Amino acid sequence: MAQFLQHLVNGLSLGSIYALIAVGYSMVYGILQLINFAHGEVVMLGAVFGFWLAPKFMYPVEPSLGLFFAVLGASMFLCGLLGFFIERLAYRPLRKSPRINCLITAIGVSLFLQYFTQLEFIFGAIPQTYPEMISQATVFSFAGVDISNLQLIVVGLSFSLMIILQFVVYKTKLGLGMRAVSENTEVAALLGVPVNKVISFTFILGSMLAAAAGTFVATMYPKVDAMMGTMLGMKAFVAAVLGGIGNLPGAVIGGLVMGLAEEFTVGYLSSSFRDAIAFAILILVLLFRPAGILGKTKIEKV
Amino acid sequence: MRQIKHLFIFSALVLLMGFSFSNFLGIYHQTILALCGINIILAVSLNLVNGFTGQFSLGHAGFMAVGAYVSAALTTLWLPTLTNPFLMTEIGVNLFFLFALLAGGIAAGLTGFLVGVPSLRLKGDYLAVVTLGFGEIIRIFILNIEPIGGARGLIGIPQLSNLYWIFGFVLLICIWIHRIVSSIPGKQFMAVRDDETATSAMGLSTTRIKVRSFVYASFFAGIAGGLFAHYIAYLNPATFNFNYSFQIVAMVVLGGMGSLTGSVAAAILLTGLLEALRPLQDLTGVDLRMVIYALTLIVLMLTRPEGMFGRHEIWEFFKKFKKSPQGFVR
């Protein structure tokens, strides 16, 4: 029982990270109907930026929570910029072309970022240890279940970020624009919504959340690797599809389910099926409920 | 009579290519050529799905892996246990190799059928992700089967494949696929690509057509896998990860989705390009090859999304210069 609860706790903290990434996929898909394959690479770069910046920030101050927040903020800012430029340079010129071309470009951007980071003078192909900014400690122990301070911080911050996002999408003017564009781009443009600005803003928001997720992953499992983004991205995408793509609460639920499923697979089956479970879930969802848990079924019109 | 003539030309071409490639080139260039040939088969067969049927599959390396492992398991694990004296002879071994290749192809085709039936009801990017997922699941599955090496890889595969085999199959499969796309079922593939709703309104089962195209493509990918396994003589599940699938997709896209000769040209170009860029690596000290590769894909999509040849075959470009009969303007 204690083991089960421990897996539950670990699964939830992993799941909240997946949820953060999944929200980014879901937002972009809702607005552009594009699977942003490069999103996973933005997550990876979020961790890489942190890896570069932490030693620079660490020089005057001791490792502390404040340092963690500084690195998190800087990495989110840089990834927001990156997201803006990815959209501006690679996706915007293709706005009017067939979706398959956008998909191929997205794959191209993803491969480019991955291999560019692998270059020796950028980051290198060898996994590095992420600098320790908060020393891990068990803060809460109950009936054999240990909850570490890292898990608390990660889950707490993830959920606060998602609540902020919910606020932005539903209570601000730009959020209104986002919802309008995802409903119908042309009508939104006719009604005076600055579509290009809204799309840029969506990419910036999604990339900032991805950077946060990357920082959290690197803090919990202290390793940075140029290849880490692909698998994280794929799993988060599965989470987004599971919850109903284009639906933000759905992405959160999907992320939590994915995290739990992965943790239980590792705990009770075998860790070599860690990556297979995500795709198995994806295939089952697409076969039995393609719209996802919270999604609406669309009818194809001629 | 015509068939005999064609068969004669075909075997003459294979012998000529095999002979000249294996006698006038070093081992290094031969290996590049062999990889070119294998990539040509993969690109042309994937074009059947991505180009002619308009379904975006991203799991081609998975089917190649099935073919590679099945045929390699047959020749590595089963062949040594057989005591038939005929199988000791040169001809017997090669016939067994042909059998193993076909068995690998059929196993890959069956896998394609099993994957295709549920997933081809999906469209566009969903299909892309599901095929990617199936490709990965196949790879992880192989990773967990101990008798064929698991994560360590399968070693000791007899090196039965050579340039004769590879280029024989390249020619055979290219002609075969050209015949498929010129036939009625091939026209059905293109009908699904151009308008799926209209095709089903004509009373055709679009799912059946898509599955058929998928099974063909997986079968050929399986054969390519078998040829690859017996040329390199070592298999590792990590070879067939989704980067390999992406590479095949890049070849199809660069050549032009819906152009067989385009795929052939792109497969040669990209395989050759990766090798030609090796000196650059020595010069700069970093591996820029995959970066350039990815940039090619992006720039291509931004500037010429239809690829090098579009939907045309290479001979259609030469036809333009010929005078049309009876003065018709095409």
Side-chain angles (χ1 to χ4, degrees), chain B residues 57-220:
Chain B
S57 164
L58 270 180
H60 218 46
F63 301 112
M64 183 192 178
V66 172
Y69 268 96
V70 168
S71 61
L74 286 179
T75 53
T76 322
L77 305 176
W78 196 40
L79 183 60
T81 63
L82 297 175
T83 47
N84 191 330
F86 175 63
L87 286 174
M88 305 293 155
T89 59
E90 184 92 355
I91 301 170
V93 167
N94 275 308
L95 274 179
F96 188 86
F97 176 49
L98 183 65
F99 158 74
L101 279 181
L102 291 179
I106 289 166
L110 266 178
T111 319
F113 180 75
L114 292 178
V115 171
V117 166
S119 57
L120 283 167
R121 295 186 304 168
L122 304 162
K123 289 196 179 70
D125 19 16
Y126 277 116
L127 178 68
V129 177
V130 167
T131 46
L132 200 163
F134 269 119
E136 279 298 290
I137 286 180
I138 291 172
R139 190 176 67 82
I140 293 168
F141 205 71
I142 292 171
L143 206 66
N144 286 294
I145 306 177
E146 259 321 296
I148 52 170
R152 280 173 289 119
L154 184 58
I155 49 168
I157 304 168
Q159 205 185 10
L160 295 170
S161 177
N162 53 31
L163 288 172
Y164 292 96
W165 277 108
I166 291 174
F167 280 93
F169 269 105
V170 166
L171 277 180
L172 182 71
I173 287 173
C174 286
I175 294 168
W176 195 345
I177 292 181
H178 179 65
R179 301 279 298 206
I180 289 175
V181 297
S182 334
S183 67
I184 300 282
K187 303 285 182 222
Q188 292 176 349
F189 295 166
M190 287 179 248
V192 169
R193 171 189 69 189
D194 294 335
D195 195 331
E196 199 174 331
T197 324
T199 312
S200 67
M202 300 294 286
L204 295 168
S205 160
T206 52
T207 310
R208 188 176 293 174
I209 295 170
K210 288 190 259 180
V211 169
R212 193 181 295 150
S213 136
F214 208 68
V215 169
Y216 274 128
S218 327
F219 172 73
F220 295 131

